Amino acid sequence: MTDVVVTGYGATTPLGGDAASTWDALLAGKSGVGHTTGEWVDKHDLPVKISAQLAVDPTEVLPRVQARRMDRAEQVAVVAAREAWAHAGLAVEKGEDPKVDPTRLAVIVGTGIGGVTTLLDQDDLLESDGLRKVSPLVVPMLMPNGPAALISLEIGAKGGVHSPASACATGAEAMAWAWRLLKAGEVDVVVAGGAEACIAPITVAGFVQARTLSQRNDAPQEASRPFDTGRDGFVLGEGAGVLVLERREFAEARGATVHGTLAGIGLTSDAYHITGPDPEGGGQGRAMLNAVRTAGLEPSDVGHVNCHATSTVVGDVGEANAIKKALGDHPVLTAPKASMGHLVGGAGAVEGLIALLSVRDGIIPATLNLEDKDPKVDLDVVAGEPRKMELTAAVNNSFGFGGHNASLLFTK
Amino acid sequence: MADTAEILSGLAEIVEEVAGIDTAEVTAEKSFVDDLDIDSLSMVEIAVQAEDKFGVKIPDDQLAELKTVGDAVSYIEKNQ
């Protein structure tokens, strides 16, 4: 079976408007968390006034008319995909022949929530001004396959457009399905990732009512603190990550630069509770072990885990235990949500990219705000400064409401 | 009441806003679909904005008949 290699990547996150600036800011220990801008924060007197908003607004990057036809979740997806596509050396001028047979090119990009700001804004318009002011673009803007479909239009992908939806595991699940499609030889190239832009009153209110968000409004940059004893919930973020994945033979034949290999994947489900993870961590452990097994490796080969760890009291400890049980106590951990918040459907894609870069560059970013590690977390978590470390393999974990567990294993 | 030239320039501004087409390109003989590459969704937006700007009603069956910019200008001129 063919190898699946990464030949391009793109991102837009609370840390930076592209992949390089995100990676640099993460290594530099910067935080993308701040006070939420928007009149609705005070209007509803929500107890959470912080979030991780984008460093660069997509409307500053996209042409005006293109941007107005897209929900913000679609805008970030297109921004990240455009970067990844160019980075992979696949962008061509108008009129030039494509470098990939369009029928052998697929898109797999999902979102956890979909076009929630469009839904809210357009419902307001329907209430205030009536039917004729509702945009004819409402449905394509709010539909959860919108980000993937818009990317397919952008790059001319005719080999299938797919949109997995598994809440906070969506971005990683998209990579896993891309791996399956490429391994099966159905296509040569897949543009895969996840996108989210759901910092809106109803989503924040819902997460608040589920008691999942940090309320550290007085110190936003210290609010997201995975594995720390002082953690009190996650910080909602927004953004997108996209990878260009190819069959190795195809990438080599076209002389592409290979940044790493998506060597294995694991997708499992808990069937335990609609939001809570199985406390035994069985589903999480099986996802990690499936990623190791499908890569043809052993747990001892995994030197690093880029954790899902969102900074919730229960979740972080559960994941650490699952890692220890499945892989052993040797992997070195990090939790990038400390710096950029929780990108929901975008999280697995951006964090998968970070795990890939850790393997490529031999460096693991530090977990910001980890000052007093929870004694129940009996593993080595990088804190303070990034750690230089040669890695054979790194695993990225993403888990989602609904009991979804997705693990990706990257090698050089 | 707007005259022909005012309607044309007002319509061109709407087309620019909705579809990003330079106002200079929006001339009477141009077809919305074939020349200006405007899709049916954008046509709905353009019609709603034109109704507000010129105080006319453009029912769907009429909208379908407005093939060119000139068609739209004369319809608005007659019905404002």
Side-chain angles (χ1 to χ4, degrees):
Chain A
M1 276 207 292
T2 183
D3 275 350
V4 174
V5 296
V6 181
T7 56
Y9 49 77
T12 182
T13 74
L15 290 173
D18 58 19
S21 58
T22 295
W23 178 235
D24 290 347
L26 185 65
L27 289 174
K30 296 197 172 133
S31 170
V33 182
H35 286 105
T36 308
T37 54
E39 288 167 13
W40 53 268
V41 181
D42 292 323
K43 181 183 165 197
H44 300 290
D45 196 28
L46 298 173
V48 174
K49 301 183 189 304
I50 55 174
S51 61
Q53 292 175 299
L54 288 165
V56 176
D57 200 279
T59 55
E60 290 171 28
V61 187
L62 293 170
R64 179 187 60 83
V65 169
Q66 196 174 24
R68 73 185 289 280
R69 292 173 67 96
M70 296 181 194
D71 180 82
R72 190 171 171 87
E74 298 174 334
Q75 292 172 354
V76 293
V78 168
V79 168
R82 201 173 275 182
E83 182 192 354
W85 190 242
H87 187 234
L90 289 168
V92 291
E93 296 295 324
K94 211 168 188 175
E96 251 183 286
D97 285 340
K99 295 183 180 177
V100 190
D101 173 355
T103 65
R104 302 277 302 166
L105 169 64
V107 177
I108 309 181
V109 173
T111 164
I113 305 281
V116 64
T117 50
T118 293
L119 185 60
L120 291 171
D121 293 347
Q122 293 290 320
D123 187 60
D124 284 350
L125 276 177
L126 179 62
E127 294 287 341
S128 63
D129 293 17
L131 171 67
R132 50 192 301 287
K133 284 303 168 72
V134 173
S135 168
L137 290 154
V138 170
V139 174
M141 285 171 77
L142 68 82
M143 64 191 193
N145 56 316
L150 285 163
I151 293 168
S152 80
L153 290 171
E154 178 98 6
I155 64 176
K158 297 182 178 178
V161 178
H162 315 282
S163 314
S166 49
C168 312
T170 299
E173 185 171 342
M175 307 289 175
W177 282 107
W179 183 92
R180 288 174 171 176
L181 217 53
L182 290 162
K183 284 281 188 182
E186 287 192 38
V187 292
D188 294 320
V189 179
V190 181
V191 172
E196 205 73 71
C198 69
I199 303 175
I202 193 64
T203 29
V204 171
F207 281 128
V208 166
Q209 290 300 74
R211 306 293 190 269
T212 54
L213 293 181
S214 170
Q215 301 196 4
R216 205 179 287 258
N217 296 318
D218 54 343
Q221 303 204 336
E222 295 166 25
S224 185
R225 39 198 318 121
F227 300 124
D228 188 86
T229 50
R231 68 191 185 280
D232 70 332
F234 71 81
V235 171
L236 187 58
E238 57 179 353
V242 170
L243 300 185
V244 176
L245 299 160
E246 300 185 35
R247 297 194 305 113
R248 185 184 294 279
E249 297 79 3
F250 187 84
E252 283 174 355
R254 72 177 187 89
T257 303
V258 170
H259 301 281
T261 305
L262 177 56
I265 59 109
L267 292 178
T268 68
S269 47
D270 283 353
Y272 173 77
H273 183 268
I274 191 64
T275 58
D278 179 354
E280 299 295 321
Q284 298 181 358
R286 282 186 295 116
M288 288 180 250
L289 284 174
N290 285 352
V292 172
R293 182 181 55 78
T294 52
L297 296 175
E298 296 297 326
S300 57
D301 295 316
V302 179
H304 167 50
V305 178
N306 188 306
C307 297
H308 182 65
T310 62
S311 183
T312 61
V313 173
V314 177
D316 294 9
V317 173
E319 182 178 6
N321 288 339
I323 291 167
K324 195 173 170 181
K325 208 184 282 181
L327 303 178
D329 58 10
H330 61 278
V332 174
L333 314 187
T334 194
K337 289 186 183 73
S339 307
M340 65 173 100
H342 190 345
L343 270 52
V344 192
V350 174
E351 291 163 18
L353 166 60
I354 291 164
L356 166 86
L357 296 178
S358 284
V359 174
R360 186 192 71 180
D361 296 353
I363 189 162
I364 302 170
T367 304
L368 203 64
N369 299 320
L370 181 53
E371 290 159 359
D372 179 28
K373 194 174 72 176
D374 188 325
K376 292 198 279 296
V377 177
D378 188 18
L379 292 169
D380 181 1
V381 186
V382 181
E385 293 291 317
R387 192 178 305 175
K388 289 196 173 132
M389 194 174 162
E390 270 304 305
L391 294 166
T392 304
V395 163
N396 171 65
N397 281 340
S398 294
F399 312 130
F401 277 9
H404 309 271
N405 308 300
S407 295
L408 307 173
L409 187 145
F410 292 97
T411 58
K412 282 215 168 75
Chain B
M1 298 278 259
D3 64 26
T4 311
E6 286 165 351
I7 293 170
L8 179 60
S9 76
L11 195 60
E13 282 169 21
I14 293 171
V15 170
E16 201 275 334
E17 155 72 18
V18 171
I21 294 158
D22 197 287
T23 49
E25 296 290 312
V26 185
T27 48
E29 77 286 3
K30 294 273 174 71
S31 155
F32 288 111
V33 175
D34 297 334
D35 298 324
L36 300 178
D37 201 20
I38 291 170
D39 66 14
S40 59
L41 300 176
S42 292
M43 276 308 290
V44 173
E45 287 192 277
I46 289 166
V48 168
Q49 291 198 22
E51 285 182 341
D52 289 351
K53 191 164 200 156
F54 301 111
V56 291
K57 286 268 169 247
I58 311 177
D60 283 359
D61 54 347
Q62 288 294 334
L63 182 60
E65 298 300 312
L66 305 180
K67 306 288 185 204
T68 66
V69 174
D71 294 343
V73 171
S74 18
Y75 176 85
I76 292 166
E77 196 166 17
K78 281 193 203 104
N79 293 278
Q80 65 186 343

mmCIF file of all heavy atoms in Angstrom, chain A residues 235-277:
data_model
loop_
_atom_site.group_PDB
_atom_site.id
_atom_site.type_symbol
_atom_site.label_atom_id
_atom_site.label_comp_id
_atom_site.label_asym_id
_atom_site.label_seq_id
_atom_site.Cartn_x
_atom_site.Cartn_y
_atom_site.Cartn_z
ATOM 1 N N VAL A 235 -11.168 27.522 26.490
ATOM 2 C CA VAL A 235 -11.411 28.837 25.893
ATOM 3 C C VAL A 235 -11.798 28.595 24.437
ATOM 4 O O VAL A 235 -11.068 27.931 23.695
ATOM 5 C CB VAL A 235 -10.147 29.710 25.965
ATOM 6 C CG1 VAL A 235 -10.332 30.983 25.148
ATOM 7 C CG2 VAL A 235 -9.795 30.032 27.402
ATOM 8 N N LEU A 236 -12.954 29.109 24.040
ATOM 9 C CA LEU A 236 -13.423 28.904 22.674
ATOM 10 C C LEU A 236 -12.564 29.702 21.692
ATOM 11 O O LEU A 236 -12.329 30.894 21.896
ATOM 12 C CB LEU A 236 -14.892 29.322 22.570
ATOM 13 C CG LEU A 236 -15.610 29.034 21.248
ATOM 14 C CD1 LEU A 236 -15.590 27.551 20.905
ATOM 15 C CD2 LEU A 236 -17.042 29.555 21.308
ATOM 16 N N GLY A 237 -12.113 29.030 20.648
ATOM 17 C CA GLY A 237 -11.300 29.685 19.618
ATOM 18 C C GLY A 237 -11.935 29.546 18.254
ATOM 19 O O GLY A 237 -13.012 28.955 18.111
ATOM 20 N N GLU A 238 -11.267 30.097 17.247
ATOM 21 C CA GLU A 238 -11.756 29.987 15.870
ATOM 22 C C GLU A 238 -10.568 29.901 14.932
ATOM 23 O O GLU A 238 -9.479 30.392 15.254
ATOM 24 C CB GLU A 238 -12.644 31.182 15.508
ATOM 25 C CG GLU A 238 -11.950 32.527 15.670
ATOM 26 C CD GLU A 238 -12.815 33.718 15.280
ATOM 27 O OE1 GLU A 238 -13.920 33.514 14.749
ATOM 28 O OE2 GLU A 238 -12.371 34.857 15.499
ATOM 29 N N GLY A 239 -10.784 29.271 13.784
ATOM 30 C CA GLY A 239 -9.715 29.170 12.810
ATOM 31 C C GLY A 239 -9.818 27.897 11.993
ATOM 32 O O GLY A 239 -10.791 27.150 12.114
ATOM 33 N N ALA A 240 -8.806 27.679 11.178
ATOM 34 C CA ALA A 240 -8.817 26.522 10.281
ATOM 35 C C ALA A 240 -7.406 26.022 10.024
ATOM 36 O O ALA A 240 -6.444 26.790 10.089
ATOM 37 C CB ALA A 240 -9.471 26.895 8.950
ATOM 38 N N GLY A 241 -7.319 24.748 9.739
ATOM 39 C CA GLY A 241 -6.062 24.142 9.301
ATOM 40 C C GLY A 241 -6.352 23.221 8.135
ATOM 41 O O GLY A 241 -7.395 22.560 8.105
ATOM 42 N N VAL A 242 -5.449 23.213 7.167
ATOM 43 C CA VAL A 242 -5.630 22.373 5.982
ATOM 44 C C VAL A 242 -4.285 21.761 5.600
ATOM 45 O O VAL A 242 -3.261 22.448 5.589
ATOM 46 C CB VAL A 242 -6.189 23.200 4.793
ATOM 47 C CG1 VAL A 242 -6.156 22.389 3.501
ATOM 48 C CG2 VAL A 242 -7.622 23.662 5.082
ATOM 49 N N LEU A 243 -4.291 20.465 5.297
ATOM 50 C CA LEU A 243 -3.106 19.796 4.776
ATOM 51 C C LEU A 243 -3.384 19.316 3.352
ATOM 52 O O LEU A 243 -4.517 18.953 3.031
ATOM 53 C CB LEU A 243 -2.728 18.560 5.616
ATOM 54 C CG LEU A 243 -2.395 18.729 7.093
ATOM 55 C CD1 LEU A 243 -1.930 17.393 7.670
ATOM 56 C CD2 LEU A 243 -1.342 19.796 7.323
ATOM 57 N N VAL A 244 -2.335 19.302 2.541
ATOM 58 C CA VAL A 244 -2.418 18.627 1.251
ATOM 59 C C VAL A 244 -1.735 17.281 1.420
ATOM 60 O O VAL A 244 -0.539 17.212 1.736
ATOM 61 C CB VAL A 244 -1.733 19.449 0.129
ATOM 62 C CG1 VAL A 244 -1.759 18.658 -1.179
ATOM 63 C CG2 VAL A 244 -2.445 20.786 -0.043
ATOM 64 N N LEU A 245 -2.509 16.213 1.253
ATOM 65 C CA LEU A 245 -2.013 14.850 1.422
ATOM 66 C C LEU A 245 -1.981 14.173 0.051
ATOM 67 O O LEU A 245 -2.898 14.357 -0.751
ATOM 68 C CB LEU A 245 -2.936 14.077 2.367
ATOM 69 C CG LEU A 245 -3.034 14.663 3.789
ATOM 70 C CD1 LEU A 245 -4.294 14.168 4.492
ATOM 71 C CD2 LEU A 245 -1.810 14.293 4.596
ATOM 72 N N GLU A 246 -0.923 13.402 -0.177
ATOM 73 C CA GLU A 246 -0.782 12.762 -1.490
ATOM 74 C C GLU A 246 -0.266 11.340 -1.350
ATOM 75 O O GLU A 246 0.406 11.012 -0.381
ATOM 76 C CB GLU A 246 0.269 13.517 -2.351
ATOM 77 C CG GLU A 246 -0.046 14.946 -2.610
ATOM 78 C CD GLU A 246 0.959 15.597 -3.573
ATOM 79 O OE1 GLU A 246 1.455 14.924 -4.497
ATOM 80 O OE2 GLU A 246 1.248 16.790 -3.371
ATOM 81 N N ARG A 247 -0.540 10.546 -2.371
ATOM 82 C CA ARG A 247 0.147 9.258 -2.466
ATOM 83 C C ARG A 247 1.627 9.570 -2.721
ATOM 84 O O ARG A 247 1.964 10.444 -3.517
ATOM 85 C CB ARG A 247 -0.411 8.428 -3.629
ATOM 86 C CG ARG A 247 -1.884 8.075 -3.445
ATOM 87 C CD ARG A 247 -2.335 6.986 -4.411
ATOM 88 N NE ARG A 247 -2.054 7.340 -5.778
ATOM 89 C CZ ARG A 247 -1.161 6.700 -6.565
ATOM 90 N NH1 ARG A 247 -0.483 5.658 -6.115
ATOM 91 N NH2 ARG A 247 -0.963 7.089 -7.797
ATOM 92 N N ARG A 248 2.499 8.879 -2.003
ATOM 93 C CA ARG A 248 3.922 9.210 -2.091
ATOM 94 C C ARG A 248 4.435 9.147 -3.538
ATOM 95 O O ARG A 248 5.178 10.031 -3.984
ATOM 96 C CB ARG A 248 4.764 8.271 -1.204
ATOM 97 C CG ARG A 248 6.245 8.678 -1.183
ATOM 98 C CD ARG A 248 7.126 7.729 -0.390
ATOM 99 N NE ARG A 248 6.853 7.706 1.036
ATOM 100 C CZ ARG A 248 7.299 8.608 1.919
ATOM 101 N NH1 ARG A 248 8.016 9.640 1.512
ATOM 102 N NH2 ARG A 248 7.021 8.470 3.182
ATOM 103 N N GLU A 249 3.993 8.142 -4.283
ATOM 104 C CA GLU A 249 4.483 7.993 -5.665
ATOM 105 C C GLU A 249 4.118 9.230 -6.490
ATOM 106 O O GLU A 249 4.907 9.704 -7.302
ATOM 107 C CB GLU A 249 3.872 6.749 -6.340
ATOM 108 C CG GLU A 249 4.230 5.425 -5.698
ATOM 109 C CD GLU A 249 3.411 5.108 -4.440
ATOM 110 O OE1 GLU A 249 2.499 5.901 -4.090
ATOM 111 O OE2 GLU A 249 3.699 4.092 -3.789
ATOM 112 N N PHE A 250 2.910 9.709 -6.269
ATOM 113 C CA PHE A 250 2.442 10.866 -7.029
ATOM 114 C C PHE A 250 3.261 12.103 -6.659
ATOM 115 O O PHE A 250 3.692 12.866 -7.526
ATOM 116 C CB PHE A 250 0.949 11.104 -6.759
ATOM 117 C CG PHE A 250 0.357 12.165 -7.628
ATOM 118 C CD1 PHE A 250 -0.090 11.867 -8.904
ATOM 119 C CD2 PHE A 250 0.255 13.479 -7.177
ATOM 120 C CE1 PHE A 250 -0.618 12.859 -9.723
ATOM 121 C CE2 PHE A 250 -0.268 14.471 -7.992
ATOM 122 C CZ PHE A 250 -0.704 14.160 -9.266
ATOM 123 N N ALA A 251 3.498 12.272 -5.357
ATOM 124 C CA ALA A 251 4.263 13.434 -4.890
ATOM 125 C C ALA A 251 5.694 13.392 -5.434
ATOM 126 O O ALA A 251 6.235 14.410 -5.879
ATOM 127 C CB ALA A 251 4.271 13.460 -3.368
ATOM 128 N N GLU A 252 6.278 12.208 -5.399
ATOM 129 C CA GLU A 252 7.668 12.091 -5.880
ATOM 130 C C GLU A 252 7.752 12.334 -7.381
ATOM 131 O O GLU A 252 8.667 12.999 -7.865
ATOM 132 C CB GLU A 252 8.235 10.714 -5.499
ATOM 133 C CG GLU A 252 8.628 10.661 -4.023
ATOM 134 C CD GLU A 252 9.071 9.288 -3.546
ATOM 135 O OE1 GLU A 252 8.988 8.326 -4.340
ATOM 136 O OE2 GLU A 252 9.492 9.195 -2.371
ATOM 137 N N ALA A 253 6.775 11.803 -8.099
ATOM 138 C CA ALA A 253 6.794 11.955 -9.558
ATOM 139 C C ALA A 253 6.711 13.429 -9.968
ATOM 140 O O ALA A 253 7.276 13.831 -10.983
ATOM 141 C CB ALA A 253 5.642 11.171 -10.186
ATOM 142 N N ARG A 254 6.024 14.223 -9.172
ATOM 143 C CA ARG A 254 5.913 15.644 -9.549
ATOM 144 C C ARG A 254 6.962 16.509 -8.843
ATOM 145 O O ARG A 254 6.966 17.730 -8.968
ATOM 146 C CB ARG A 254 4.497 16.163 -9.308
ATOM 147 C CG ARG A 254 4.100 16.363 -7.872
ATOM 148 C CD ARG A 254 2.698 16.940 -7.737
ATOM 149 N NE ARG A 254 2.395 17.271 -6.353
ATOM 150 C CZ ARG A 254 2.666 18.455 -5.772
ATOM 151 N NH1 ARG A 254 3.227 19.423 -6.462
ATOM 152 N NH2 ARG A 254 2.375 18.666 -4.508
ATOM 153 N N GLY A 255 7.863 15.828 -8.088
ATOM 154 C CA GLY A 255 8.966 16.546 -7.457
ATOM 155 C C GLY A 255 8.549 17.428 -6.300
ATOM 156 O O GLY A 255 9.186 18.454 -6.014
ATOM 157 N N ALA A 256 7.484 17.040 -5.594
ATOM 158 C CA ALA A 256 6.984 17.862 -4.480
ATOM 159 C C ALA A 256 7.886 17.736 -3.253
ATOM 160 O O ALA A 256 8.541 16.712 -3.053
ATOM 161 C CB ALA A 256 5.568 17.423 -4.116
ATOM 162 N N THR A 257 7.906 18.778 -2.434
ATOM 163 C CA THR A 257 8.606 18.724 -1.156
ATOM 164 C C THR A 257 7.728 17.971 -0.161
ATOM 165 O O THR A 257 6.553 18.299 -0.005
ATOM 166 C CB THR A 257 8.850 20.153 -0.618
ATOM 167 O OG1 THR A 257 9.581 20.873 -1.606
ATOM 168 C CG2 THR A 257 9.628 20.136 0.694
ATOM 169 N N VAL A 258 8.319 16.967 0.492
ATOM 170 C CA VAL A 258 7.566 16.189 1.475
ATOM 171 C C VAL A 258 7.922 16.681 2.878
ATOM 172 O O VAL A 258 9.092 16.716 3.258
ATOM 173 C CB VAL A 258 7.868 14.684 1.331
ATOM 174 C CG1 VAL A 258 7.275 13.891 2.500
ATOM 175 C CG2 VAL A 258 7.308 14.165 0.004
ATOM 176 N N HIS A 259 6.891 17.074 3.657
ATOM 177 C CA HIS A 259 7.122 17.604 5.004
ATOM 178 C C HIS A 259 6.959 16.546 6.078
ATOM 179 O O HIS A 259 7.328 16.783 7.236
ATOM 180 C CB HIS A 259 6.169 18.772 5.269
ATOM 181 C CG HIS A 259 6.336 19.879 4.279
ATOM 182 N ND1 HIS A 259 7.360 20.797 4.374
ATOM 183 C CD2 HIS A 259 5.661 20.172 3.142
ATOM 184 C CE1 HIS A 259 7.278 21.642 3.350
ATOM 185 N NE2 HIS A 259 6.272 21.276 2.583
ATOM 186 N N GLY A 260 6.436 15.414 5.703
ATOM 187 C CA GLY A 260 6.253 14.327 6.653
ATOM 188 C C GLY A 260 5.255 13.329 6.112
ATOM 189 O O GLY A 260 4.712 13.503 5.016
ATOM 190 N N THR A 261 5.039 12.293 6.898
ATOM 191 C CA THR A 261 4.165 11.203 6.477
ATOM 192 C C THR A 261 3.026 11.041 7.485
ATOM 193 O O THR A 261 3.279 11.012 8.691
ATOM 194 C CB THR A 261 4.974 9.885 6.421
ATOM 195 O OG1 THR A 261 6.110 10.090 5.573
ATOM 196 C CG2 THR A 261 4.130 8.740 5.879
ATOM 197 N N LEU A 262 1.806 10.967 6.993
ATOM 198 C CA LEU A 262 0.686 10.557 7.851
ATOM 199 C C LEU A 262 0.700 9.038 7.779
ATOM 200 O O LEU A 262 0.177 8.434 6.848
ATOM 201 C CB LEU A 262 -0.638 11.141 7.354
ATOM 202 C CG LEU A 262 -1.895 10.724 8.136
ATOM 203 C CD1 LEU A 262 -1.774 11.058 9.620
ATOM 204 C CD2 LEU A 262 -3.149 11.374 7.554
ATOM 205 N N ALA A 263 1.356 8.429 8.770
ATOM 206 C CA ALA A 263 1.667 7.002 8.672
ATOM 207 C C ALA A 263 0.534 6.114 9.171
ATOM 208 O O ALA A 263 0.403 4.969 8.739
ATOM 209 C CB ALA A 263 2.954 6.701 9.453
ATOM 210 N N GLY A 264 -0.265 6.618 10.105
ATOM 211 C CA GLY A 264 -1.345 5.786 10.618
ATOM 212 C C GLY A 264 -2.465 6.619 11.193
ATOM 213 O O GLY A 264 -2.274 7.801 11.512
ATOM 214 N N ILE A 265 -3.629 5.997 11.298
ATOM 215 C CA ILE A 265 -4.795 6.712 11.843
ATOM 216 C C ILE A 265 -5.617 5.772 12.724
ATOM 217 O O ILE A 265 -5.577 4.558 12.554
ATOM 218 C CB ILE A 265 -5.696 7.267 10.726
ATOM 219 C CG1 ILE A 265 -6.223 6.146 9.809
ATOM 220 C CG2 ILE A 265 -4.961 8.285 9.868
ATOM 221 C CD1 ILE A 265 -7.666 5.836 9.945
ATOM 222 N N GLY A 266 -6.344 6.356 13.652
ATOM 223 C CA GLY A 266 -7.289 5.571 14.442
ATOM 224 C C GLY A 266 -8.559 6.375 14.659
ATOM 225 O O GLY A 266 -8.503 7.531 15.089
ATOM 226 N N LEU A 267 -9.689 5.776 14.309
ATOM 227 C CA LEU A 267 -10.996 6.412 14.549
ATOM 228 C C LEU A 267 -11.839 5.432 15.357
ATOM 229 O O LEU A 267 -12.116 4.324 14.891
ATOM 230 C CB LEU A 267 -11.710 6.712 13.229
ATOM 231 C CG LEU A 267 -11.128 7.779 12.306
ATOM 232 C CD1 LEU A 267 -11.962 7.884 11.029
ATOM 233 C CD2 LEU A 267 -11.068 9.137 12.992
ATOM 234 N N THR A 268 -12.225 5.836 16.560
ATOM 235 C CA THR A 268 -13.080 4.970 17.377
ATOM 236 C C THR A 268 -14.199 5.802 17.997
ATOM 237 O O THR A 268 -14.195 7.032 17.905
ATOM 238 C CB THR A 268 -12.285 4.302 18.515
ATOM 239 O OG1 THR A 268 -11.880 5.309 19.451
ATOM 240 C CG2 THR A 268 -11.063 3.549 17.999
ATOM 241 N N SER A 269 -15.133 5.122 18.637
ATOM 242 C CA SER A 269 -16.215 5.828 19.315
ATOM 243 C C SER A 269 -16.477 5.177 20.671
ATOM 244 O O SER A 269 -16.212 3.992 20.865
ATOM 245 C CB SER A 269 -17.471 5.818 18.450
ATOM 246 O OG SER A 269 -17.710 4.515 17.953
ATOM 247 N N ASP A 270 -16.990 5.993 21.588
ATOM 248 C CA ASP A 270 -17.152 5.540 22.972
ATOM 249 C C ASP A 270 -18.493 4.844 23.237
ATOM 250 O O ASP A 270 -18.563 3.941 24.073
ATOM 251 C CB ASP A 270 -17.064 6.736 23.932
ATOM 252 C CG ASP A 270 -15.634 7.189 24.151
ATOM 253 O OD1 ASP A 270 -14.704 6.501 23.666
ATOM 254 O OD2 ASP A 270 -15.436 8.226 24.831
ATOM 255 N N ALA A 271 -19.569 5.327 22.606
ATOM 256 C CA ALA A 271 -20.919 4.849 22.937
ATOM 257 C C ALA A 271 -21.117 4.846 24.453
ATOM 258 O O ALA A 271 -21.555 3.868 25.052
ATOM 259 C CB ALA A 271 -21.173 3.451 22.350
ATOM 260 N N TYR A 272 -20.776 5.984 25.050
ATOM 261 C CA TYR A 272 -20.836 6.079 26.509
ATOM 262 C C TYR A 272 -21.771 7.209 26.964
ATOM 263 O O TYR A 272 -22.683 6.996 27.741
ATOM 264 C CB TYR A 272 -19.419 6.293 27.055
ATOM 265 C CG TYR A 272 -19.384 6.580 28.541
ATOM 266 C CD1 TYR A 272 -19.544 5.555 29.467
ATOM 267 C CD2 TYR A 272 -19.197 7.885 29.009
ATOM 268 C CE1 TYR A 272 -19.541 5.818 30.830
ATOM 269 C CE2 TYR A 272 -19.192 8.160 30.369
ATOM 270 C CZ TYR A 272 -19.363 7.126 31.277
ATOM 271 O OH TYR A 272 -19.366 7.392 32.615
ATOM 272 N N HIS A 273 -21.537 8.440 26.462
ATOM 273 C CA HIS A 273 -22.344 9.589 26.863
ATOM 274 C C HIS A 273 -22.250 10.629 25.757
ATOM 275 O O HIS A 273 -21.254 10.693 25.051
ATOM 276 C CB HIS A 273 -21.809 10.169 28.184
ATOM 277 C CG HIS A 273 -22.620 11.318 28.716
ATOM 278 N ND1 HIS A 273 -22.334 12.622 28.420
ATOM 279 C CD2 HIS A 273 -23.721 11.343 29.511
ATOM 280 C CE1 HIS A 273 -23.221 13.421 29.017
ATOM 281 N NE2 HIS A 273 -24.064 12.665 29.691
ATOM 282 N N ILE A 274 -23.282 11.469 25.617
ATOM 283 C CA ILE A 274 -23.296 12.395 24.480
ATOM 284 C C ILE A 274 -22.183 13.447 24.567
ATOM 285 O O ILE A 274 -21.666 13.892 23.548
ATOM 286 C CB ILE A 274 -24.698 13.029 24.284
ATOM 287 C CG1 ILE A 274 -24.786 13.766 22.954
ATOM 288 C CG2 ILE A 274 -25.084 13.938 25.438
ATOM 289 C CD1 ILE A 274 -24.645 12.885 21.741
ATOM 290 N N THR A 275 -21.798 13.857 25.764
ATOM 291 C CA THR A 275 -20.687 14.822 25.846
ATOM 292 C C THR A 275 -19.485 14.284 26.634
ATOM 293 O O THR A 275 -18.347 14.602 26.312
ATOM 294 C CB THR A 275 -21.133 16.148 26.522
ATOM 295 O OG1 THR A 275 -21.637 15.856 27.825
ATOM 296 C CG2 THR A 275 -22.180 16.859 25.695
ATOM 297 N N GLY A 276 -19.714 13.506 27.638
ATOM 298 C CA GLY A 276 -18.611 13.077 28.505
ATOM 299 C C GLY A 276 -17.818 11.925 27.909
ATOM 300 O O GLY A 276 -18.399 11.011 27.323
ATOM 301 N N PRO A 277 -16.469 11.980 28.032
ATOM 302 C CA PRO A 277 -15.666 10.861 27.561
ATOM 303 C C PRO A 277 -15.785 9.669 28.524
ATOM 304 O O PRO A 277 -16.012 9.848 29.714
ATOM 305 C CB PRO A 277 -14.242 11.413 27.563
ATOM 306 C CG PRO A 277 -14.258 12.514 28.563
ATOM 307 C CD PRO A 277 -15.655 13.057 28.609
#
